[in-house]
């Protein structure tokens, strides 16, 4: 795929203008734009198959078929194999809180839970709350002083036979750093601990393979990978079956339904499946040998990761030429494969909010603040202002990066 014009044509939002100029969406870490096919799948569900689960009549049966296909699609996206191990929920935060309550009931006073100082708050607070309830102890993985990566020596030192859970993000939603989750999972398993991975920020940028990682749980959100506002959980079958989530007496006990409490967001789940199909469609156009959905997804992410790395390189090099800017995260050109194209920075004189407001007035959408990565912004003494975050996606272009850099240069 030589350019992104075909991809961009599938995103109606990219036609938006402000003051006569196209809008530049580099706000993807807080929520990506969606292809028309995803919105159409949501609409089609509501207009043609809108019914509750388990009925004997036509629309309910059609609805159940759509939902089953969505479980299969997300199993393919995550490399799960078993669609019954895919659980849908309101969002990753709600899912993490549900899992934390179920796991916390199995912990005892003196047990230990490891979280990281580079994670989104949604992968820290749920475990802190559950640990407090159980009388367990929280251990925190430190970040190296330069703020670019986790201190893995510190992580290994904090593992012990008392460790019951390691909760870590696949990629930081502030620095973009990709963590070695398979290596960390293997180390956690050596002491008998479960692993919960927050893959929300990694999911739109790289291929996920839960079997290869070996984690007990992995969560992500469809609205970060070009779908609607729906959360997704993968869990190993034995853990999903043995744990007892909070649910009503009338709720089923079989998978995945025991974890999907109440009536779900059916139209959103249909849209999540369409988002997976959108990604698979990229792979099919790239690789004619991609004969099934999983292989097509693999091909898509081979292209996405390569293309996005070129965008990130272009952005980082440009930012380094502007005075007063500090980039938080990996900037070594030889190590950019260790990060996703999310670039956060601070400026010596201008606050992140000031810069974001200036860019917004010129049709460039970015985020300022802690980005809910509060453990990191506190550890790096970035509170209360946080950082300015530029989040590139595969629908962005080098020309958009150039426009962003020009506007920053003029302002700073």
């Amino acid at each position: 795929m030589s350019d992104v014009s075909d991809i961009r044509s599938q995103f109606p939002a990219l036609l938006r203008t402000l003051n006569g100029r196209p809008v530049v969406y580099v706000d993807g870490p807080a929520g990506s734009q969606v292809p028309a096919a995803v919105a159409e799948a949501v609409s089609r569900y509501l207009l043609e198959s809108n019914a509750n689960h388990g009925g004997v009549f036509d629309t309910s049966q059609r609805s159940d078929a759509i939902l089953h296909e969505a479980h299969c699609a997300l199993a393919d996206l995550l490399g799960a194999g078993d669609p019954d191990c895919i659980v849908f929920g309101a969002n990753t935060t709600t899912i993490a809180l549900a899992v934390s309550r179920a796991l916390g009931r199995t912990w005892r006073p003196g047990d230990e839970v490891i979280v990281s100082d580079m994670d989104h708050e949604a992968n820290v607070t749920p475990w802190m709350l559950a640990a407090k309830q159980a009388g367990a102890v929280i251990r925190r993985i430190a970040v190296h002083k330069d703020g670019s990566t986790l201190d893995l020596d510190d992580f290994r030192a904090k593992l012990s036979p008392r460790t019951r859970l390691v909760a870590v993000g696949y990629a930081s939603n502030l620095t973009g750093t990709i963590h070695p989750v398979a290596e960390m999972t293997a180390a956690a398993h050596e002491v008998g601990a479960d692993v919960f991975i927050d893959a929300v920020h990694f999911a739109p940028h790289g291929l996920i393979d839960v079997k290869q990682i070996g984690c007990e749980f992995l969560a992500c959100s469809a609205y970060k990978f070009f779908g609607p506002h729906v959360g997704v959980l993968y869990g190993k079958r034995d853990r999903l079956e043995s744990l007892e989530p909070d649910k009503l007496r009338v709720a089923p006990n079989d998978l995945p339904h025991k974890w999907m409490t109440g009536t779900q967001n059916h139209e959103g789940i249909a849209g999540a499946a369409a988002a997976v199909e959108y990604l698979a469609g990229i792979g099919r156009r790239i690789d004619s040998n991609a004969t099934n959905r999983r292989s097509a997804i693999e091909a898509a992410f081979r292209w996405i990761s390569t293309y996005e790395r070129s965008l990130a390189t272009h952005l980082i090099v440009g930012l380094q030429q502007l005075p007063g800017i500090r980039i938080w995260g990996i900037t070594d050109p030889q190590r950019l494969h260790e990060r996703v194209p999310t670039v956060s920075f601070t400026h010596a004189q201008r606050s992140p909010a000031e810069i974001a407001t200036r860019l917004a007035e010129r049709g460039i959408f970015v985020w300022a603040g802690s980005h809910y990565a509060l453990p990191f912004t506190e550890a790096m003494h970035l509170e209360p202002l946080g950082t300015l975050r530029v989040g590139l996606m595969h629908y962005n272009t080098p020309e958009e990066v150039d426009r962003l850099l020009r506007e920053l240069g003029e302002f700073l």
Side-chain angles (χ1 to χ4, degrees), residues 81-345:
D82 185 351
D84 288 345
C85 291
I86 298 296
V87 173
F88 291 102
N91 47 61
T92 296
T93 301
T94 303
I95 286 171
L97 285 165
V99 176
S100 72
R101 289 193 296 269
L103 275 174
R105 284 193 284 269
T106 71
W107 300 340
R108 298 292 178 265
D111 287 347
E112 297 182 356
V113 176
I114 296 179
V115 297
S116 112
D117 276 346
M118 201 178 265
D119 266 58
H120 189 288
E121 190 70 8
N123 202 30
V124 176
T125 296
W127 313 114
M128 293 176 66
L129 293 172
K132 182 179 180 180
Q133 186 73 22
V137 178
I138 289 288
R139 305 290 187 199
R140 305 179 78 104
I141 309 169
V143 178
H144 284 295
K145 290 182 179 180
D146 66 358
S148 62
T149 56
L150 289 176
D151 185 338
L152 295 182
D153 289 335
D154 183 60
F155 163 62
R156 294 185 189 95
K158 285 172 176 168
L159 286 169
S160 81
R162 296 184 299 277
T163 306
R164 295 293 169 262
L165 177 77
V166 173
V168 66
Y170 206 137
S172 166
N173 75 313
L174 189 148
T175 67
T177 302
I178 300 171
H179 303 140
V181 291
E183 176 187 334
M184 296 177 77
T185 297
H189 286 172
E190 287 180 4
V191 298
D194 289 327
V195 177
F196 185 102
I197 294 175
D198 176 354
V200 170
H201 195 64
F202 184 79
H205 303 295
L207 183 71
I208 296 172
D209 188 335
V210 292
K211 290 183 178 178
Q212 184 269 330
I213 297 168
C215 56
E216 278 66 38
F217 305 97
L218 180 144
C220 56
S221 291
Y223 75 99
K224 302 296 178 75
F225 58 84
F226 323 109
H229 289 82
V230 173
V232 184
L233 172 71
Y234 157 80
K236 283 185 176 178
R237 176 175 279 275
D238 62 334
R239 300 304 280 135
L240 292 178
E241 289 179 336
S242 62
L243 291 171
E244 291 300 326
D246 293 334
K247 68 182 187 68
L248 304 182
R249 290 178 297 167
V250 294
N253 287 314
D254 61 318
L255 295 182
H257 307 293
K258 72 179 279 190
W259 286 88
M260 294 172 58
T261 54
T263 298
Q264 293 291 309
N265 176 5
H266 293 177
E267 62 271 26
I269 294 171
V276 175
E277 276 300 319
Y278 159 75
L279 289 166
I282 295 175
R284 294 186 187 104
R285 289 194 296 277
I286 292 170
D287 185 357
S288 59
N289 294 319
T291 56
N292 58 54
R293 186 161 51 202
R294 177 64 180 179
S295 62
I297 291 167
E298 291 170 353
F301 278 115
R302 282 195 297 271
W303 177 80
I304 287 171
S305 60
T306 300
Y307 176 71
E308 289 184 342
R309 196 172 304 141
S310 70
L311 288 180
T313 302
H314 188 34
L315 175 61
I316 289 170
V317 170
L319 289 173
Q320 289 172 327
Q321 295 172 2
L322 298 177
I325 280 182
R326 175 175 179 178
I327 299 173
W328 295 88
I330 296 168
T331 58
D332 181 349
Q334 303 304 313
R335 297 180 58 203
L336 293 188
H337 62 281
E338 298 176 36
R339 64 170 302 145
V340 297
T342 298
V343 182
S344 291
F345 63 89

Side-chain angles (χ1 to χ4, degrees), residues 43-65:
S43 175
R44 190 164 55 249
Y45 176 88
L46 288 170
L47 296 176
E48 299 175 5
S49 310
N50 192 24
N52 215 323
H53 171 63
V56 297
F57 48 91
D58 178 63
T59 50
S60 180
Q61 292 177 355
R62 291 176 65 178
S63 174
D64 284 350

Side-chain angles (χ1 to χ4, degrees), residues 336-410:
L336 293 188
H337 62 281
E338 298 176 36
R339 64 170 302 145
V340 297
T342 298
V343 182
S344 291
F345 63 89
T346 49
H347 187 261
Q349 280 80 42
R350 302 286 191 177
S351 73
E354 239 186 314
I355 302 170
T357 301
R358 169 84 173 204
L359 292 174
E361 291 168 351
R362 284 153 177 77
I364 300 174
F365 297 171
V366 298
W367 283 96
S370 71
H371 321 294
Y372 292 91
L374 194 60
F376 181 86
T377 54
E378 289 178 334
M380 295 294 111
H381 308 292
L382 291 168
E383 287 298 314
L385 300 179
T387 70
L388 190 290
R389 182 178 67 182
V390 178
L392 299 168
M393 293 285 188
H394 70 273
Y395 50 63
N396 291 122
T397 66
E399 292 76 20
E400 290 180 324
V401 175
D402 287 336
R403 182 174 155 195
L404 167 65
L405 291 170
R406 282 195 303 272
E407 294 288 355
L408 284 171
E410 291 176 10

